Amino acid sequence: MTGPDRAAVVAGLGSWVPPTVVTNDDLARQLDTSDEWISSRTGIRRRHVVDPGGSTGDLAVEAGRRALKSAGEERADVVVVATSTPDRPCPATAPEVADRLGLGGVGAFDIAAVCTGFVYGLGAAAGFVQAGFARSVLVIGADTFSTILNPADRTTRAIFGDGAGAVYLRAGAATEPGALKGLHLGSDGGQSDLIQVAAGGSRQRSTGRPAATEATYFTMEGRPVFAEAVRHMAASVTTTADAAGWAVEDIDKVVLHQANARILAAVAERIDLPPERFPSNIERVGNTVAASIPLALADASADGELLPGQRVVLGGFGGGLTWGSVALVWPDIPAV
C-alpha cells in the first residue's frame, strides 16, 4: 500500500519503570518539604528512580522489548529513542538500544525534544512509514531525569521520575484503528532558557572555563512554563482534533504529558472537556519527561480507562520550547 491511504498504525505498547521508589515522605527526610506540600502543588506522591549505574538505555531496552511482545513482533526497521538524558552525550543511545534488542543493523537515532519528544518521535515514524521507507518503527520515550537534578532542589526533585514507554508502529491503512492522524508540532526557541541544563553543551564548553556546579543541573522557570504549557497544549489538541475531522467534544480521551496535575486540569478547563477524559498516572510516577505519554497510555489501558474504539488525542509540551499532538482511534492491543 502506498500514497495517502498508507499510515503508521500503533500495534504494540510497552512500558517500564525502575523498581526503586522514592515517596514524598522519603524526600521530606532529606529536604525542607512534606507530602502535603508536594502533592497539593503537583498531584505527585511517588516516583521511580534508577539505581546507581542504571541508565536511560536500560529502561528503553525493557520498554522496547515489551512493545515488541505486545505487537507479537521480533523485528523493526527503525528504532527512535526520544530522550534528553542519553546514556552519553555522544553517540546516540538508540543504536545501542537496537543492538541490545537484537535488531541488528537497523536505522536508529535519538530525538531530543524533552517532554514533547515522544510526539516528535511519532511524527518521524509516521513520515518513514507513509513515505514507504519503513514498514515498522519502534518509538521509545525514555528519560532518567533523576541523574540531572540538583540534590538540594526540592522543587525539581519532587516533580521528576524515571521511566520508559514504547509503541510499535506498522504500515497499515489510514482508516483502521491505531492509524496516526492529525499530527501537529510546534516550537518557540525564543524561550529556550525557561527549561534547560545550561552547561555541558558546545556553548559552555567553547568558553574553555569549567562549568559552575549549579549550571550542570536541570532548571525550570515554573510560572511561565505553566502558562505556556496550558496555552500550547490546549491549542494543539484543538488543532489536531480539527485535522482529524473531530469536534473537540467528540474526543473520548486526551492523554497529555504528565507534567503537573494542575496543568492537566487547566487544559481540560480551557478546551471545555470534563477532567475524567484526561487519564493521569502522575500520582504514581511523577513527570517522566519523554516517557510520560506512553507510560500514561499503558497505565490507562491496564486500568480499563482506555478502551478500543475510543477517539484519543496525545499531547505534549516541553523544553525548546516544543509542543505537539497526534490523534488516533485506540486499537485493541495489550499493554505489556
Side-chain angles (χ1 to χ4, degrees):
M1 182 184 298
T2 59
D5 292 331
R6 182 183 174 104
V9 178
V10 174
L13 174 64
S15 65
W16 180 249
V17 290
T20 299
V21 174
V22 177
T23 67
N24 290 350
D25 288 334
D26 292 332
L27 290 179
R29 286 190 284 271
Q30 304 171 34
L31 302 166
D32 180 19
T33 190
S34 67
D35 174 63
E36 191 281 331
W37 189 90
I38 297 170
S39 60
S40 65
R41 287 163 173 78
T42 67
I44 301 167
R45 293 191 177 275
R46 52 185 281 177
R47 71 286 297 149
H48 295 252
V49 300
V50 291
D51 291 328
S55 76
T56 294
D58 294 338
L59 305 185
V61 167
E62 186 59 34
R65 182 178 291 118
R66 289 167 177 250
L68 287 165
K69 181 179 179 180
S70 170
E73 300 285 351
E74 296 181 352
R75 301 289 303 170
D77 295 331
V78 179
V79 175
V80 180
V81 174
T83 186
S84 294
T85 50
D87 287 7
R88 293 170 286 179
C90 175
T93 300
E96 186 174 351
V97 169
D99 178 72
R100 291 173 63 185
L101 287 171
L103 299 179
V106 302
F109 61 95
D110 289 1
I111 285 181
V114 199
C115 302
T116 323
F118 182 72
V119 177
Y120 269 70
L122 292 177
F128 277 114
V129 171
Q130 289 175 317
F133 297 146
R135 292 163 299 178
S136 60
V137 182
L138 183 62
V139 178
I140 307 171
D143 269 303
T144 52
F145 255 52
S146 67
T147 63
I148 61 171
L149 301 179
N150 186 334
D153 185 348
R154 67 173 184 171
T155 300
T156 57
R157 286 195 62 196
I159 293 172
F160 292 95
D162 302 337
V167 294
Y168 183 90
L169 300 165
R170 60 164 175 81
T175 54
E176 66 180 295
L180 301 183
K181 58 186 70 181
L183 177 72
H184 173 255
L185 300 174
S187 71
D188 179 5
Q191 299 193 77
S192 60
D193 290 350
L194 293 182
I195 299 172
Q196 66 167 325
V197 177
S202 60
R203 186 180 302 281
Q204 176 266 316
R205 288 176 179 269
S206 69
T207 67
R209 299 186 298 271
T213 300
E214 293 76 12
T216 65
Y217 296 128
F218 173 85
T219 61
M220 178 173 63
E221 299 293 332
R223 289 183 183 274
V225 166
F226 186 106
E228 292 296 304
V230 172
R231 180 166 71 92
H232 287 298
M233 280 201 290
S236 188
V237 167
T238 301
T239 299
T240 293
D242 184 65
W246 303 344
V248 171
E249 58 267 25
D250 293 332
I251 303 171
D252 296 303
K253 297 295 179 183
V254 182
V255 183
L256 297 180
H257 163 56
Q258 304 288 295
N260 181 304
R262 289 180 172 180
I263 289 176
L264 300 181
V267 173
E269 182 177 3
R270 179 168 288 213
I271 64 176
D272 196 25
L273 283 179
E276 55 266 25
R277 296 194 193 183
F278 290 72
S280 178
N281 64 350
I282 194 169
E283 179 180 7
R284 303 191 295 271
V285 299
N287 181 338
T288 54
V289 197
S292 175
I293 294 171
L295 281 176
L297 285 171
D299 282 349
S301 177
D303 293 345
E305 192 174 1
L306 183 61
L307 301 172
Q310 290 181 327
R311 293 179 173 183
V312 181
V313 174
L314 316 179
F317 174 88
L321 300 174
T322 57
W323 57 87
S325 57
V326 66
L328 72 160
V329 174
W330 191 248
D332 187 5
I333 57 173
V336 179

